[in-house]
Amino acid sequence: MRLRELDPDPIAQFRAWLREAEHATARPEAMVLATATAAGQPSARVVLLRGLDERGFVFFTNRESRKGEELAENPRAALVFHWPELGRQVRVEGDVQLLPEDESEAYWRSRPRGSRLAAWASPQSRPLARSELDRLYTEAAQRFGAGDVLLPPFWGGYRVVPLAVEFWLHRENRLHDRIRYRRAAEGWLRERLAP
Ligand SMILES: Cc1cc2nc3c(=O)[nH]c(=O)nc-3n(C[C@H](O)[C@H](O)[C@H](O)COP(=O)(O)O)c2cc1C
């Protein structure tokens, strides 16, 4: 992988790799999201990439979850995509913004009714018995009846605005390729890193 063959824009380069991953792997949009408390205690979990444009990488979740609380006190995150079938990894680091409500609403509308009810029912990241979760789901279903399942005030999207993006490609003898993009005053700086 030569630096000059990569797109100067990391989002365009990411899109190209994501498109290839779509043909190679079952869940190409699955990414590890790492967050941390204000004190620096890290935590990580898988979420799905649900939006991508020049502004950044979008995912959706319960804003009162553990990740939501960590992002409220420390709005920075790292993402990792791993596509083993292609021998590729992408790392993203950046600042995190709340997605505007109209964008969360648009995605919410695309979710199946059952998923929307589950978002209302689940106090994500809180201890709870299975029977309690089932009861909360039934309660949500009854509350909305046949009507529209509205966007919960505690649920929505986040955008990870990238400051650095690294493309990693498996090569023989562990002489892997690593190209890192870093946001500069104008455009992006690129450099090769030792594997
Ligand atoms: C393949 C996969 C996709 C997932 N996608 C999401 C997602 O898009 N949003 C989300 O809130 N949780 C998603 N989860 C669940 C999270 O990994 C996690 O359990 C949950 O968000 C609670 O995390 P937290 O307690 O750190 O906030 C996904 C899990 C897996 C395995």
Side-chain angles (χ1 to χ4, degrees), residues 87-146:
R88 289 176 179 176
Q89 169 182 250
V90 180
R91 300 167 60 172
V92 178
E93 290 161 37
D95 294 326
V96 180
Q97 301 171 346
L98 283 182
L99 206 67
E101 179 144 346
D102 58 323
E103 289 183 55
S104 290
E105 182 81 43
Y107 174 68
W108 177 257
R109 302 255 148 249
S110 76
R111 283 166 63 93
R113 188 178 180 85
S115 307
R116 288 194 246 168
L117 290 171
W120 273 102
S122 172
Q124 195 177 50
S125 314
R126 305 281 173 267
L128 118 157
R130 177 74 217 193
S131 56
E132 179 67 359
L133 181 60
D134 293 337
R135 190 188 66 72
L136 288 167
Y137 184 88
T138 307
E139 202 177 277
Q142 282 166 354
R143 179 146 35 105
F144 290 103

Side-chain angles (χ1 to χ4, degrees), residues 176-187:
H176 312 305
D177 287 322
R178 297 177 66 185
I179 307 288
R180 180 173 65 186
Y181 294 64
R182 278 186 295 165
R183 198 186 282 279
E186 278 170 38

Side-chain angles (χ1 to χ4, degrees), residues 7 9-17 19 54 167:
D7 198 295
D9 172 15
I11 300 290
Q13 182 58 44
F14 180 84
R15 270 189 212 292
W17 273 26
R19 261 196 306 275
E54 286 309 310
F167 295 86

